[in-house]
mmCIF file with all atom_site columns, all heavy atoms in Angstrom:
data_model
loop_
_atom_site.group_PDB
_atom_site.id
_atom_site.type_symbol
_atom_site.label_atom_id
_atom_site.label_alt_id
_atom_site.label_comp_id
_atom_site.label_asym_id
_atom_site.label_entity_id
_atom_site.label_seq_id
_atom_site.pdbx_PDB_ins_code
_atom_site.Cartn_x
_atom_site.Cartn_y
_atom_site.Cartn_z
_atom_site.occupancy
_atom_site.B_iso_or_equiv
_atom_site.pdbx_formal_charge
_atom_site.auth_seq_id
_atom_site.auth_comp_id
_atom_site.auth_asym_id
_atom_site.auth_atom_id
_atom_site.pdbx_PDB_model_num
ATOM 1   N N   . GLU N 1 196 ? -27.718 -54.668 20.477 1.00 93.00 ? 196 GLU N N   1
ATOM 2   C CA  . GLU N 1 196 ? -26.663 -54.217 19.566 1.00 93.00 ? 196 GLU N CA  1
ATOM 3   C C   . GLU N 1 196 ? -25.891 -55.380 18.970 1.00 93.00 ? 196 GLU N C   1
ATOM 4   O O   . GLU N 1 196 ? -25.458 -55.313 17.813 1.00 93.00 ? 196 GLU N O   1
ATOM 5   C CB  . GLU N 1 196 ? -25.705 -53.259 20.290 1.00 93.00 ? 196 GLU N CB  1
ATOM 6   C CG  . GLU N 1 196 ? -26.278 -51.878 20.523 1.00 93.00 ? 196 GLU N CG  1
ATOM 7   C CD  . GLU N 1 196 ? -26.721 -51.198 19.231 1.00 93.00 ? 196 GLU N CD  1
ATOM 8   O OE1 . GLU N 1 196 ? -25.964 -51.263 18.238 1.00 93.00 ? 196 GLU N OE1 1
ATOM 9   O OE2 . GLU N 1 196 ? -27.821 -50.621 19.199 1.00 93.00 ? 196 GLU N OE2 1
ATOM 10  N N   . MET N 1 197 ? -25.693 -56.431 19.722 1.00 94.00 ? 197 MET N N   1
ATOM 11  C CA  . MET N 1 197 ? -24.976 -57.592 19.196 1.00 94.00 ? 197 MET N CA  1
ATOM 12  C C   . MET N 1 197 ? -25.769 -58.249 18.076 1.00 94.00 ? 197 MET N C   1
ATOM 13  O O   . MET N 1 197 ? -25.225 -58.633 17.035 1.00 94.00 ? 197 MET N O   1
ATOM 14  C CB  . MET N 1 197 ? -24.700 -58.606 20.311 1.00 94.00 ? 197 MET N CB  1
ATOM 15  C CG  . MET N 1 197 ? -23.818 -59.759 19.876 1.00 94.00 ? 197 MET N CG  1
ATOM 16  S SD  . MET N 1 197 ? -23.396 -60.869 21.256 1.00 94.00 ? 197 MET N SD  1
ATOM 17  C CE  . MET N 1 197 ? -22.408 -59.751 22.253 1.00 94.00 ? 197 MET N CE  1
ATOM 18  N N   . CYS N 1 198 ? -27.089 -58.348 18.285 1.00 95.00 ? 198 CYS N N   1
ATOM 19  C CA  . CYS N 1 198 ? -27.963 -58.922 17.261 1.00 95.00 ? 198 CYS N CA  1
ATOM 20  C C   . CYS N 1 198 ? -27.980 -58.039 16.022 1.00 95.00 ? 198 CYS N C   1
ATOM 21  O O   . CYS N 1 198 ? -27.943 -58.520 14.894 1.00 95.00 ? 198 CYS N O   1
ATOM 22  C CB  . CYS N 1 198 ? -29.372 -59.098 17.822 1.00 95.00 ? 198 CYS N CB  1
ATOM 23  S SG  . CYS N 1 198 ? -30.549 -59.800 16.651 1.00 95.00 ? 198 CYS N SG  1
ATOM 24  N N   . LYS N 1 199 ? -28.008 -56.722 16.234 1.00 96.00 ? 199 LYS N N   1
ATOM 25  C CA  . LYS N 1 199 ? -28.020 -55.784 15.108 1.00 96.00 ? 199 LYS N CA  1
ATOM 26  C C   . LYS N 1 199 ? -26.732 -55.900 14.298 1.00 96.00 ? 199 LYS N C   1
ATOM 27  O O   . LYS N 1 199 ? -26.760 -55.891 13.066 1.00 96.00 ? 199 LYS N O   1
ATOM 28  C CB  . LYS N 1 199 ? -28.210 -54.361 15.633 1.00 96.00 ? 199 LYS N CB  1
ATOM 29  C CG  . LYS N 1 199 ? -28.319 -53.305 14.540 1.00 96.00 ? 199 LYS N CG  1
ATOM 30  C CD  . LYS N 1 199 ? -28.871 -51.990 15.072 1.00 96.00 ? 199 LYS N CD  1
ATOM 31  C CE  . LYS N 1 199 ? -30.367 -52.079 15.311 1.00 96.00 ? 199 LYS N CE  1
ATOM 32  N NZ  . LYS N 1 199 ? -30.994 -50.760 15.553 1.00 96.00 ? 199 LYS N NZ  1
ATOM 33  N N   . GLN N 1 200 ? -25.617 -56.017 14.982 1.00 96.00 ? 200 GLN N N   1
ATOM 34  C CA  . GLN N 1 200 ? -24.344 -56.148 14.271 1.00 96.00 ? 200 GLN N CA  1
ATOM 35  C C   . GLN N 1 200 ? -24.292 -57.449 13.487 1.00 96.00 ? 200 GLN N C   1
ATOM 36  O O   . GLN N 1 200 ? -23.772 -57.496 12.375 1.00 96.00 ? 200 GLN N O   1
ATOM 37  C CB  . GLN N 1 200 ? -23.173 -56.079 15.255 1.00 96.00 ? 200 GLN N CB  1
ATOM 38  C CG  . GLN N 1 200 ? -21.815 -56.210 14.576 1.00 96.00 ? 200 GLN N CG  1
ATOM 39  C CD  . GLN N 1 200 ? -20.705 -55.562 15.361 1.00 96.00 ? 200 GLN N CD  1
ATOM 40  O OE1 . GLN N 1 200 ? -20.924 -54.647 16.137 1.00 96.00 ? 200 GLN N OE1 1
ATOM 41  N NE2 . GLN N 1 200 ? -19.498 -56.045 15.155 1.00 96.00 ? 200 GLN N NE2 1
ATOM 42  N N   . GLN N 1 201 ? -24.854 -58.497 14.054 1.00 96.00 ? 201 GLN N N   1
ATOM 43  C CA  . GLN N 1 201 ? -24.901 -59.779 13.363 1.00 96.00 ? 201 GLN N CA  1
ATOM 44  C C   . GLN N 1 201 ? -25.734 -59.671 12.084 1.00 96.00 ? 201 GLN N C   1
ATOM 45  O O   . GLN N 1 201 ? -25.374 -60.231 11.039 1.00 96.00 ? 201 GLN N O   1
ATOM 46  C CB  . GLN N 1 201 ? -25.468 -60.853 14.289 1.00 96.00 ? 201 GLN N CB  1
ATOM 47  C CG  . GLN N 1 201 ? -25.197 -62.268 13.839 1.00 96.00 ? 201 GLN N CG  1
ATOM 48  C CD  . GLN N 1 201 ? -25.599 -63.278 14.893 1.00 96.00 ? 201 GLN N CD  1
ATOM 49  O OE1 . GLN N 1 201 ? -26.736 -63.273 15.372 1.00 96.00 ? 201 GLN N OE1 1
ATOM 50  N NE2 . GLN N 1 201 ? -24.696 -64.161 15.264 1.00 96.00 ? 201 GLN N NE2 1
ATOM 51  N N   . LEU N 1 202 ? -26.829 -58.947 12.148 1.00 97.00 ? 202 LEU N N   1
ATOM 52  C CA  . LEU N 1 202 ? -27.665 -58.739 10.962 1.00 97.00 ? 202 LEU N CA  1
ATOM 53  C C   . LEU N 1 202 ? -26.905 -57.954 9.890  1.00 97.00 ? 202 LEU N C   1
ATOM 54  O O   . LEU N 1 202 ? -27.008 -58.256 8.688  1.00 97.00 ? 202 LEU N O   1
ATOM 55  C CB  . LEU N 1 202 ? -28.933 -57.989 11.344 1.00 97.00 ? 202 LEU N CB  1
ATOM 56  C CG  . LEU N 1 202 ? -30.000 -58.785 12.096 1.00 97.00 ? 202 LEU N CG  1
ATOM 57  C CD1 . LEU N 1 202 ? -31.036 -57.844 12.705 1.00 97.00 ? 202 LEU N CD1 1
ATOM 58  C CD2 . LEU N 1 202 ? -30.680 -59.785 11.155 1.00 97.00 ? 202 LEU N CD2 1
ATOM 59  N N   . ILE N 1 203 ? -26.142 -56.952 10.308 1.00 98.00 ? 203 ILE N N   1
ATOM 60  C CA  . ILE N 1 203 ? -25.359 -56.150 9.354  1.00 98.00 ? 203 ILE N CA  1
ATOM 61  C C   . ILE N 1 203 ? -24.318 -57.014 8.660  1.00 98.00 ? 203 ILE N C   1
ATOM 62  O O   . ILE N 1 203 ? -24.188 -56.986 7.433  1.00 98.00 ? 203 ILE N O   1
ATOM 63  C CB  . ILE N 1 203 ? -24.684 -54.971 10.084 1.00 98.00 ? 203 ILE N CB  1
ATOM 64  C CG1 . ILE N 1 203 ? -25.726 -53.984 10.586 1.00 98.00 ? 203 ILE N CG1 1
ATOM 65  C CG2 . ILE N 1 203 ? -23.689 -54.260 9.148  1.00 98.00 ? 203 ILE N CG2 1
ATOM 66  C CD1 . ILE N 1 203 ? -25.187 -52.995 11.611 1.00 98.00 ? 203 ILE N CD1 1
ATOM 67  N N   . MET N 1 204 ? -23.579 -57.782 9.449  1.00 97.00 ? 204 MET N N   1
ATOM 68  C CA  . MET N 1 204 ? -22.533 -58.623 8.862  1.00 97.00 ? 204 MET N CA  1
ATOM 69  C C   . MET N 1 204 ? -23.140 -59.668 7.931  1.00 97.00 ? 204 MET N C   1
ATOM 70  O O   . MET N 1 204 ? -22.586 -59.971 6.869  1.00 97.00 ? 204 MET N O   1
ATOM 71  C CB  . MET N 1 204 ? -21.717 -59.286 9.968  1.00 97.00 ? 204 MET N CB  1
ATOM 72  C CG  . MET N 1 204 ? -20.982 -58.311 10.874 1.00 97.00 ? 204 MET N CG  1
ATOM 73  S SD  . MET N 1 204 ? -19.721 -57.338 10.010 1.00 97.00 ? 204 MET N SD  1
ATOM 74  C CE  . MET N 1 204 ? -18.352 -58.504 10.070 1.00 97.00 ? 204 MET N CE  1
ATOM 75  N N   . ALA N 1 205 ? -24.291 -60.203 8.307  1.00 97.00 ? 205 ALA N N   1
ATOM 76  C CA  . ALA N 1 205 ? -24.974 -61.166 7.435  1.00 97.00 ? 205 ALA N CA  1
ATOM 77  C C   . ALA N 1 205 ? -25.374 -60.507 6.117  1.00 97.00 ? 205 ALA N C   1
ATOM 78  O O   . ALA N 1 205 ? -25.188 -61.082 5.037  1.00 97.00 ? 205 ALA N O   1
ATOM 79  C CB  . ALA N 1 205 ? -26.197 -61.737 8.143  1.00 97.00 ? 205 ALA N CB  1
ATOM 80  N N   . LEU N 1 206 ? -25.917 -59.303 6.196  1.00 98.00 ? 206 LEU N N   1
ATOM 81  C CA  . LEU N 1 206 ? -26.306 -58.572 4.989  1.00 98.00 ? 206 LEU N CA  1
ATOM 82  C C   . LEU N 1 206 ? -25.115 -58.394 4.058  1.00 98.00 ? 206 LEU N C   1
ATOM 83  O O   . LEU N 1 206 ? -25.233 -58.568 2.835  1.00 98.00 ? 206 LEU N O   1
ATOM 84  C CB  . LEU N 1 206 ? -26.874 -57.205 5.374  1.00 98.00 ? 206 LEU N CB  1
ATOM 85  C CG  . LEU N 1 206 ? -27.218 -56.250 4.221  1.00 98.00 ? 206 LEU N CG  1
ATOM 86  C CD1 . LEU N 1 206 ? -28.410 -56.777 3.431  1.00 98.00 ? 206 LEU N CD1 1
ATOM 87  C CD2 . LEU N 1 206 ? -27.500 -54.841 4.747  1.00 98.00 ? 206 LEU N CD2 1
ATOM 88  N N   . LEU N 1 207 ? -23.962 -58.084 4.637  1.00 98.00 ? 207 LEU N N   1
ATOM 89  C CA  . LEU N 1 207 ? -22.781 -57.794 3.816  1.00 98.00 ? 207 LEU N CA  1
ATOM 90  C C   . LEU N 1 207 ? -22.106 -59.054 3.285  1.00 98.00 ? 207 LEU N C   1
ATOM 91  O O   . LEU N 1 207 ? -21.118 -58.959 2.555  1.00 98.00 ? 207 LEU N O   1
ATOM 92  C CB  . LEU N 1 207 ? -21.785 -56.953 4.621  1.00 98.00 ? 207 LEU N CB  1
ATOM 93  C CG  . LEU N 1 207 ? -22.288 -55.558 5.011  1.00 98.00 ? 207 LEU N CG  1
ATOM 94  C CD1 . LEU N 1 207 ? -21.259 -54.828 5.875  1.00 98.00 ? 207 LEU N CD1 1
ATOM 95  C CD2 . LEU N 1 207 ? -22.634 -54.718 3.771  1.00 98.00 ? 207 LEU N CD2 1
ATOM 96  N N   . THR N 1 208 ? -22.644 -60.219 3.631  1.00 97.00 ? 208 THR N N   1
ATOM 97  C CA  . THR N 1 208 ? -22.162 -61.454 3.000  1.00 97.00 ? 208 THR N CA  1
ATOM 98  C C   . THR N 1 208 ? -23.009 -61.841 1.789  1.00 97.00 ? 208 THR N C   1
ATOM 99  O O   . THR N 1 208 ? -22.663 -62.779 1.065  1.00 97.00 ? 208 THR N O   1
ATOM 100 C CB  . THR N 1 208 ? -22.162 -62.643 3.981  1.00 97.00 ? 208 THR N CB  1
ATOM 101 O OG1 . THR N 1 208 ? -23.508 -62.962 4.350  1.00 97.00 ? 208 THR N OG1 1
ATOM 102 C CG2 . THR N 1 208 ? -21.324 -62.357 5.205  1.00 97.00 ? 208 THR N CG2 1
ATOM 103 N N   . ILE N 1 209 ? -24.101 -61.116 1.568  1.00 97.00 ? 209 ILE N N   1
ATOM 104 C CA  . ILE N 1 209 ? -24.958 -61.459 0.421  1.00 97.00 ? 209 ILE N CA  1
ATOM 105 C C   . ILE N 1 209 ? -25.208 -60.270 -0.497 1.00 97.00 ? 209 ILE N C   1
ATOM 106 O O   . ILE N 1 209 ? -25.696 -60.446 -1.621 1.00 97.00 ? 209 ILE N O   1
ATOM 107 C CB  . ILE N 1 209 ? -26.308 -62.058 0.875  1.00 97.00 ? 209 ILE N CB  1
ATOM 108 C CG1 . ILE N 1 209 ? -27.138 -61.036 1.651  1.00 97.00 ? 209 ILE N CG1 1
ATOM 109 C CG2 . ILE N 1 209 ? -26.086 -63.327 1.683  1.00 97.00 ? 209 ILE N CG2 1
ATOM 110 C CD1 . ILE N 1 209 ? -28.571 -61.490 1.948  1.00 97.00 ? 209 ILE N CD1 1
ATOM 111 N N   . GLU N 1 210 ? -24.899 -59.055 -0.047 1.00 97.00 ? 210 GLU N N   1
ATOM 112 C CA  . GLU N 1 210 ? -25.125 -57.862 -0.861 1.00 97.00 ? 210 GLU N CA  1
ATOM 113 C C   . GLU N 1 210 ? -23.854 -57.019 -0.949 1.00 97.00 ? 210 GLU N C   1
ATOM 114 O O   . GLU N 1 210 ? -23.168 -56.819 0.046  1.00 97.00 ? 210 GLU N O   1
ATOM 115 C CB  . GLU N 1 210 ? -26.250 -57.003 -0.278 1.00 97.00 ? 210 GLU N CB  1
ATOM 116 C CG  . GLU N 1 210 ? -27.646 -57.467 -0.654 1.00 97.00 ? 210 GLU N CG  1
ATOM 117 C CD  . GLU N 1 210 ? -27.925 -57.369 -2.146 1.00 97.00 ? 210 GLU N CD  1
ATOM 118 O OE1 . GLU N 1 210 ? -27.462 -56.398 -2.786 1.00 97.00 ? 210 GLU N OE1 1
ATOM 119 O OE2 . GLU N 1 210 ? -28.593 -58.268 -2.670 1.00 97.00 ? 210 GLU N OE2 1
ATOM 120 N N   . LYS N 1 211 ? -23.568 -56.526 -2.147 1.00 97.00 ? 211 LYS N N   1
ATOM 121 C CA  . LYS N 1 211 ? -22.377 -55.708 -2.365 1.00 97.00 ? 211 LYS N CA  1
ATOM 122 C C   . LYS N 1 211 ? -22.559 -54.310 -1.762 1.00 97.00 ? 211 LYS N C   1
ATOM 123 O O   . LYS N 1 211 ? -23.649 -53.747 -1.786 1.00 97.00 ? 211 LYS N O   1
ATOM 124 C CB  . LYS N 1 211 ? -22.102 -55.574 -3.860 1.00 97.00 ? 211 LYS N CB  1
ATOM 125 C CG  . LYS N 1 211 ? -21.771 -56.877 -4.581 1.00 97.00 ? 211 LYS N CG  1
ATOM 126 C CD  . LYS N 1 211 ? -21.512 -56.622 -6.050 1.00 97.00 ? 211 LYS N CD  1
ATOM 127 C CE  . LYS N 1 211 ? -21.140 -57.908 -6.783 1.00 97.00 ? 211 LYS N CE  1
ATOM 128 N NZ  . LYS N 1 211 ? -22.284 -58.827 -6.903 1.00 97.00 ? 211 LYS N NZ  1
ATOM 129 N N   . ALA N 1 212 ? -21.457 -53.770 -1.257 1.00 97.00 ? 212 ALA N N   1
ATOM 130 C CA  . ALA N 1 212 ? -21.471 -52.424 -0.682 1.00 97.00 ? 212 ALA N CA  1
ATOM 131 C C   . ALA N 1 212 ? -20.826 -51.395 -1.606 1.00 97.00 ? 212 ALA N C   1
ATOM 132 O O   . ALA N 1 212 ? -20.833 -50.209 -1.303 1.00 97.00 ? 212 ALA N O   1
ATOM 133 C CB  . ALA N 1 212 ? -20.742 -52.431 0.659  1.00 97.00 ? 212 ALA N CB  1
#
Side-chain angles (χ1 to χ4, degrees):
E196 285 303 316
M197 187 175 294
C198 180
K199 183 165 285 192
Q200 180 155 335
Q201 197 172 53
L202 286 166
I203 293 165
M204 298 296 276
L206 175 69
L207 296 177
T208 66
I209 65 171
E210 278 296 323
K211 296 180 178 70

